[in-house]
Amino acid sequence: MGGSPLRILVVGAGIAGLAVARALRLAGFRPDVTDKLPPGESTATGLYLPGNAARALRRLDLHDPVRPLGQVIHRQCFFDATGAPLCEVDLDTLWAGVGECRALPRADLHRVLLSGAGGAVRHGAEVRALDLLPGGVGVTFTDNTTTEYDLVIGADGPRSSVRALAALGGPPRPVGQVVYRAVLRDGPPVSEWTALLGQRSGLLLVPIGEGRLHCYADEAGTKTPADPLARLRELFGEYRGPVPEVLEMLTPDQVHVGLTDEVELGRWYRGRVLLVGDAAHATAPTLSQGAAMALEDAVVLAESLCAASSVDAALVAYESRRRPRTRWVADRTRDRNRTRDVPPALRDPLLRGRGGRIFGGHYRLLIGPL
């Protein structure tokens, strides 16, 4: 069906939606892209893209515009709360033949994807109702305009309205994790992906280029604190290594806090409505696979539509290809998260002996072809 005049609507102009729009344009389709939010810069946070994300960007013909951005990451280094080494993952070896690992500001990747998708997004267009028709979908927006499409793609995140309107699932499920994110300029010299692990909490620092550090922390919990920076200093005040300098330099306006959700569905499509990215399979960010899975979704969906004889056959083929990888990510994410509940006295000797192999093994399936 590549190049056919299918009427396609992509709901959501984040990483997943723009990647899907880019993949569809490369395949000869001309999708409409809408987003309920007004245009504007995304939150100032960083993003780590493992090697499989780089491979997907090549398939989207976006590798060259991304190459000058951020910083290539060669190693993941794990330490205990005192700054003593636990283990290390050689990323160049792990992802050899797949792609380099890169960390960059999220807004930079968003700009590349927006340009690659053609730049035309209808902002402020919120979907109010979906009418599943025998050969399409009737879409009613909140301004009462109605349009019919052959395929509607919900790329509107873990709290997807498309998922609810198509009766594909309810709200996301809380993971029980509070996450903190910030970008720090001219902080301590950190050259690699650097994680310090404590008791049911951890802090990650990743360089994203131009003297900036992506700071990420999490703890077990179900409520966000009223003063996120004060909570960070309480949680990590006894940590060593670069942590004291980071905590001293951060300001309240730099710290963004939220709760982590996950989405697990029995199916990703109903009629001609399909979910992609976090709307279909959100997980905790432990493996840094959210953006990577969205980019892969885009590549596989375009290939499925081009190869199939009908939209319905394409949706079956798409979900059958993507399920094993997203299930693997969800399972390995839960595996790694469970290590945080193990007391450091038991966990740390294990990580010093086998941590590199364990953590590297979490990506084993993802190294293989899409």
Side-chain angles (χ1 to χ4, degrees):
M1 292 187 293
S4 73
L6 280 180
R7 297 161 298 170
I8 302 176
L9 173 65
V10 179
V11 180
I15 289 175
L18 294 177
V20 165
R22 169 65 173 181
L24 293 176
R25 287 177 66 85
L26 289 177
F29 302 102
R30 291 295 177 265
D32 294 338
V33 183
T34 66
D35 197 287
K36 66 181 181 181
L37 299 176
E41 289 292 325
S42 60
T43 301
T45 59
L47 189 65
Y48 169 67
L49 299 175
N52 59 317
R55 174 172 54 194
L57 285 168
R58 287 199 308 273
R59 300 275 283 273
L60 295 171
D61 197 22
L62 293 176
H63 180 65
D64 286 345
V66 169
R67 280 188 71 182
L69 305 175
Q71 180 170 325
V72 175
I73 305 297
H74 301 283
R75 294 193 307 277
Q76 288 183 328
C77 304
F78 295 84
F79 301 85
D80 66 17
T82 70
L86 292 174
C87 61
E88 185 175 295
V89 178
D90 182 341
L91 297 173
D92 294 337
T93 299
L94 177 66
W95 295 104
V98 179
E100 61 193 9
C101 299
R102 181 177 302 276
L104 74 169
R106 178 179 289 270
D108 286 1
L109 179 62
H110 190 270
R111 280 192 289 270
V112 169
L113 289 169
L114 181 61
S115 176
V121 176
R122 182 185 168 196
H123 286 279
E126 185 171 0
V127 176
R128 190 181 72 190
L130 297 173
D131 184 14
L132 276 61
L133 306 172
V137 185
V139 181
T140 302
F141 295 93
T142 50
D143 63 0
N144 291 323
T145 59
T146 301
T147 310
E148 188 174 325
Y149 288 94
D150 299 301
L151 175 62
V152 172
I153 301 168
D156 50 344
R159 294 171 178 81
S160 169
S161 60
V162 171
R163 185 174 67 236
L165 291 171
L168 280 164
R173 181 171 59 245
V175 172
Q177 191 179 75
V178 184
V179 297
Y180 305 80
R181 294 181 174 90
V183 171
L184 182 65
R185 287 187 174 273
D186 301 319
V190 176
S191 60
E192 297 290 356
W193 189 102
T194 301
L196 291 94
L197 306 181
Q199 175 71 55
R200 305 196 75 196
S201 61
L203 190 145
L204 170 68
L205 303 172
V206 188
I208 58 175
E210 300 180 1
R212 295 164 297 185
L213 283 179
H214 168 55
C215 309
Y216 169 90
D218 59 40
E219 63 168 323
T222 57
K223 293 183 179 180
T224 59
D227 188 337
L229 180 54
R231 178 58 178 161
L232 281 178
R233 289 172 173 165
E234 178 186 358
L235 275 172
F236 302 106
E238 301 300 318
Y239 280 46
R240 308 279 31 107
V243 176
E245 187 174 351
V246 168
L247 294 178
E248 177 65 27
M249 293 182 66
L250 283 174
T251 60
D253 60 297
Q254 291 174 312
V255 181
H256 306 277
V257 64
L259 299 175
T260 296
D261 298 320
E262 65 180 11
V263 175
E264 189 171 19
L265 303 175
R267 60 185 305 181
W268 295 346
Y269 66 90
R270 182 167 176 250
R272 296 288 188 86
V273 178
L274 171 72
L275 303 175
V276 300
D278 282 350
H281 46 69
T283 65
T286 312
L287 296 187
S288 303
Q289 279 293 319
M293 288 294 101
L295 295 169
E296 288 189 359
D297 283 355
V299 172
V300 174
L301 177 57
E303 290 179 353
S304 300
L305 285 168
C306 288
S309 58
S310 68
V311 172
D312 303 289
L315 300 187
V316 173
Y318 166 78
E319 183 166 340
S320 67
R321 281 182 63 183
R322 292 302 295 150
R323 277 275 185 187
R325 293 172 76 84
T326 61
R327 187 179 298 117
W328 173 274
V329 170
D331 290 344
R332 301 293 80 74
T333 295
R334 292 167 187 147
D335 288 346
R336 187 174 293 191
N337 283 344
R338 278 192 287 269
T339 67
R340 301 186 182 184
D341 295 326
V342 178
L346 299 176
R347 178 198 64 203
D348 292 355
L350 173 66
L351 294 184
R352 287 191 173 97
R354 298 169 48 202
R357 292 193 301 276
I358 293 171
F359 288 152
H362 290 159
Y363 298 97
R364 178 171 54 82
L365 182 72
L366 307 180
I367 293 169
L370 300 186

